[in-house]
Amino acid sequence: MENRVIFHIDFDYFYAQCEEIRNSKLKTKPVAVCIFSDRGEDSGAIATANYKAREYGVKSGIPIKFAKSRLKDRKDAVFIPADFEYYSKISISGMEIIKSFADIFEYVGRDEAYLDVTVKTNHNFETARHVAQQLKNEIRKKLKMTCSIGVSPNKLLSKIGSDFEKPDGLTVIKPDYISEFLSQLDIRNIPGIGKKTESILAESNCKKINDLLNMDVFELNSRFGRKTGTYIYNAARGIDLELVKEKQPSLQYSKITTLKENSKNYEFLSTNLLNLCKQIHDISIKNNKTFRTVSIQFVNEDLTIKTKSRTLKKSTNNLGELEKTSMQLLIDSLNEQELLVRRLGVRISELSDLEGQGDITSYF
Ligand code: DGT
Ligand code: CA
Ligand code: CA
């Protein structure tokens, strides 16, 4: 197993870089891509920002108002409304290039993927470095974009690696370099370790990945539960046996709305939800699609996101079924919901052609 060669590739400041490539004048300016809500003026949040804007503390998730005040001394700062359709097109072209380099291609999200290149590189990390550089060159040439790649024997380390030298990074972690590489990192560099876990560990003076090596797996399990405890234990040692699983980007439709007021009232949310279901259903009918998975999403008042999904036994295009499933997801989501909900969304995915042609896999 540990003979594998895995890439994790992630585009740098993706939405903002998409904007830069269609308007090169933006490159020297701070750029923030904004999701304006329909509560007027500057209400809404930043989806992402280029690295010039990040120097001023402008980043994903912060309110547009904060971003504007942080950049108030930069008269050249640019705030652009998000254009998801355009970003999807760039993503599709990018994924086509990435796919052509892989033995096994696993789509993760519109700007990232895992590749198993073990056969292609003949288990050799020098060859792998070369192939990763070629992939970066190809993306630069065809898309005019930069991306970052992590190369290692597993998904976990490659994911950490792609983040390590961002932007335009290439980090190769050969098997004999794993422990040295990890020893310089903080616990929060482990994917999936949130603020909460981090602060619990900090209480016992555990801040660096190296500090974790002194904790045994039983101790970690008893604190975080078996699943998370074992994950942390293995992650600190660079161990991850997850396979790269073939996965293509799949078509999905979603609708999200900013509520008239923040709320966690069932009646109020369900009225909005049914409205969204109707709109999503219209889109699926118009495009002749059936769906198999239904998801609902809360963007909470503090801009954190909560998503719940359910996969149906059979693919359908029935409005009643969409409504019923969404309402059930709403009830589940409101259970233990403390924050008020600011935006509410519905998504259908695993779409098929109504004529029964099987799964559509080549677009979003
Ligand atoms: P990076 O990879 O650190 O250079 O920067 P990004 O912007 O590529 O960050 P990443 O990979 O986490 O996210 C990819 C895209 O997803 C990003 O360009 C915009 C979107 N995105 C990320 N975080 C948020 C968020 O909190 N809200 C919304 N609406 N979109 C987000
Ligand atoms: Ca990215
Ligand atoms: Ca990403």
Side-chain angles (χ1 to χ4, degrees):
M1 269 301 266
E2 283 310 303
N3 264 327
R4 297 177 299 157
V5 184
I6 309 296
F7 291 178
H8 179 259
I9 178 164
D10 185 289
F11 287 99
D12 302 322
Y13 61 102
F14 184 56
Y15 295 173
Q17 208 182 171
C18 288
E19 296 296 344
E20 284 183 3
I21 62 175
R22 66 174 164 185
N23 178 4
S24 62
K25 289 200 189 88
L26 295 175
K27 285 200 173 191
T28 54
K29 304 173 179 175
V31 176
V33 175
C34 305
I35 301 175
F36 290 100
S37 75
D38 32 24
R39 288 191 195 165
E41 277 293 293
D42 282 346
S43 166
I46 300 298
T48 195
N50 70 358
Y51 283 70
K52 285 244 153 39
R54 288 184 198 189
E55 286 169 23
Y56 296 82
V58 173
K59 56 180 182 183
S60 303
I62 69 167
I64 296 167
K65 281 196 191 76
F66 288 8
K68 289 205 168 166
S69 94
R70 286 178 190 175
L71 283 167
K72 65 179 182 314
D73 296 331
R74 290 289 303 239
K75 295 287 170 265
D76 58 340
V78 182
F79 296 85
I80 305 174
D83 177 354
F84 297 110
E85 224 168 287
Y86 166 62
Y87 310 146
S88 288
K89 283 194 189 128
I90 305 276
S91 170
I92 290 166
S93 317
M95 291 298 158
E96 286 303 320
I97 298 169
I98 295 169
K99 225 183 286 180
S100 72
F101 278 73
D103 298 329
I104 307 170
F105 168 82
E106 180 176 331
Y107 173 85
V108 180
R110 64 182 80 194
D111 83 327
E112 69 188 90
Y114 288 104
L115 286 72
D116 190 315
V117 290
T118 310
V119 177
K120 195 177 172 87
T121 62
N122 197 17
H123 301 258
N124 182 306
F125 275 85
E126 280 316 313
T127 312
R129 179 194 296 279
H130 186 69
V131 171
Q133 188 59 57
Q134 280 179 323
L135 173 51
K136 281 167 64 75
N137 296 348
E138 196 69 9
I139 286 174
R140 187 187 290 276
K141 199 171 94 196
K142 295 220 173 103
L143 292 185
K144 310 273 175 272
M145 273 215 175
T146 65
C147 61
S148 297
I149 304 184
V151 179
S152 85
N154 63 49
K155 288 166 84 169
L156 172 79
L157 289 167
S158 297
K159 169 101 181 154
I160 299 174
S162 70
D163 204 42
F164 187 64
E165 289 179 288
K166 238 177 198 308
D168 202 11
L170 171 55
T171 301
V172 181
I173 309 153
K174 295 184 195 180
D176 60 4
Y177 176 58
I178 294 173
S179 54
E180 190 186 332
F181 174 75
L182 288 175
S183 69
Q184 59 193 318
L185 301 181
D186 295 326
I187 285 169
R188 96 176 75 90
N189 293 119
I190 300 175
I193 298 281
K195 281 207 189 85
K196 213 163 131 195
T197 312
E198 193 187 351
S199 68
I200 296 175
L201 286 164
E203 279 165 24
S204 37
N205 244 331
C206 202
K207 296 202 170 86
K208 307 288 279 184
I209 290 189
N210 259 4
D211 300 330
L212 282 172
L213 297 178
N214 303 321
M215 299 181 100
D216 66 47
V217 71
F218 303 106
E219 194 179 343
L220 288 166
N221 285 353
S222 72
R223 277 205 210 170
F224 301 107
R226 204 174 65 90
K227 199 167 159 220
T228 308
T230 311
Y231 170 74
I232 296 173
Y233 181 86
N234 285 330
R237 288 157 182 79
I239 298 170
D240 170 36
L241 301 179
E242 280 293 310
L243 296 175
V244 176
K245 295 176 219 73
E246 187 67 38
K247 186 166 181 247
Q248 303 293 331
S250 69
L251 188 63
Q252 57 185 42
Y253 298 129
S254 56
K255 271 274 166 204
I256 186 157
T257 183
T258 303
L259 301 165
K260 290 239 155 49
E261 60 200 53
N262 296 355
S263 166
K264 57 172 181 170
N265 175 280
Y266 173 76
E267 301 292 332
F268 177 68
L269 291 172
S270 58
T271 308
N272 280 280
L273 189 62
L274 291 174
N275 201 345
L276 288 167
C277 286
K278 178 80 180 75
Q279 295 178 45
I280 283 284
H281 184 253
D282 287 347
I283 296 173
S284 75
I285 294 292
K286 205 173 93 199
N287 291 283
N288 257 317
K289 297 285 188 259
T290 63
F291 50 89
R292 183 139 183 251
T293 297
V294 179
S295 314
I296 75 164
Q297 187 174 66
F298 289 173
V299 179
N300 296 315
E301 52 189 331
D302 66 350
L303 300 177
T304 54
I305 291 172
K306 183 181 205 175
T307 307
K308 280 200 190 289
S309 303
R310 178 164 294 181
T311 298
L312 306 169
K313 284 206 185 71
K314 267 173 57 193
S315 198
T316 176
N317 71 341
N318 184 286
L319 176 61
E321 198 146 7
L322 174 59
E323 290 175 338
K324 198 178 83 192
T325 312
S326 306
M327 295 300 260
Q328 192 55 53
L329 290 167
L330 177 64
I331 293 166
D332 291 352
S333 307
L334 283 175
N335 191 12
E336 288 178 31
Q337 172 77 13
E338 277 170 11
L339 295 163
L340 299 178
V341 182
R342 178 184 166 83
R343 309 184 80 210
L344 177 66
V346 179
R347 178 174 66 219
I348 53 176
S349 52
E350 285 192 82
L351 303 183
S352 304
D353 281 342
L354 192 52
E355 285 76 31
Q357 301 289 329
D359 283 343
I360 298 288
T361 50
S362 48
Y363 6 7
F364 283 92

